[in-house]
Amino acid sequence: MPKEEMLPSESEWMIMETLWRCGHDLTSAEITDRLPKSSKMSQRMVRVLINRLCKKGMLTYTVDPDDARVYHYTAARGREECQRAKGDAFAESFFEGNKLSAAFTLLDKVQLSEAQIKELESIIAKAKKNK
C-alpha cells in the first residue's frame, strides 16, 4: 500500500480522535455513539472505516470474552505520531517536501497568543541546540 494510503482519511481521523480522547478500548457501537453528531456516520459506515484502519495498522482489537461477535478497538498509533506523518505528507504533497515553507505558509496570517509564541520560540531554541 502506498505511504499516503497508510494515513487515516478525514473520516477515519474522527474515529482515531474518538479513541484517543477516550483513552481506552471501545466497541464500534461505542465509537459511533461518541462521534460528533455533525459526522452523521452510520454504525455500518463506522465499521467499514474501522476495518480500513485495522488494515492500515492504525487500530488493534480484542474479541469480547463473553460474546465473540463483539470487538474492542484500540488505537495502535498515537496522535502525535499520526499528526507528524500527516504533516510530512502535507509538506510533501504541496511544498515539495519543504516543511519550513509549509510552516511559514500556515503561520503567515495567523494571530498567535503569547503562549503559542513562547512555544514557537522554544522549538526554535531546541533546533539551534541540535544544530
Side-chain angles (χ1 to χ4, degrees):
M1 199 179 276
K3 189 177 181 181
E4 185 71 25
E5 290 179 23
M6 295 301 291
L7 297 172
S9 68
E10 189 175 336
S11 297
E12 292 166 347
W13 194 274
M14 284 196 288
I15 290 169
M16 296 299 293
E17 279 290 345
T18 301
L19 286 162
W20 290 324
R21 260 193 319 274
C22 178
H24 59 80
D25 63 350
L26 295 172
T27 65
S28 62
E30 291 169 331
I31 292 170
T32 304
D33 290 343
R34 292 173 185 231
L35 286 172
K37 298 303 174 210
S38 61
S39 76
K40 296 184 175 146
M41 272 195 256
S42 68
Q43 184 158 351
R44 182 179 162 138
M45 184 63 192
V46 168
R47 284 196 306 269
V48 166
L49 294 172
I50 285 172
N51 285 334
R52 287 183 190 164
L53 287 165
C54 286
K55 286 179 184 170
K56 291 178 178 183
M58 301 295 298
L59 297 182
T60 59
Y61 64 87
T62 57
V63 179
D64 190 293
D66 299 324
D67 187 347
R69 297 171 297 167
V70 177
Y71 292 73
H72 298 269
Y73 299 95
T74 306
R77 294 173 61 190
R79 177 186 279 124
E80 292 79 19
E81 177 187 357
C82 291
Q83 286 173 331
R84 222 178 351 269
K86 278 286 210 183
D88 289 348
F90 172 74
E92 194 61 44
S93 294
F94 298 102
F95 296 91
E96 298 176 344
N98 188 329
K99 294 175 188 172
L100 197 53
S101 288
F104 287 153
T105 299
L106 293 171
L107 290 171
D108 186 37
K109 303 284 188 219
V110 172
Q111 286 287 355
L112 298 174
S113 69
E114 197 59 42
Q116 290 168 324
I117 291 169
K118 285 184 195 274
E119 188 175 349
L120 244 139
E121 288 170 342
S122 171
I123 291 168
I124 292 168
K126 190 190 292 185
K128 285 179 180 179
K129 283 182 186 175
N130 293 334
K131 205 171 164 185

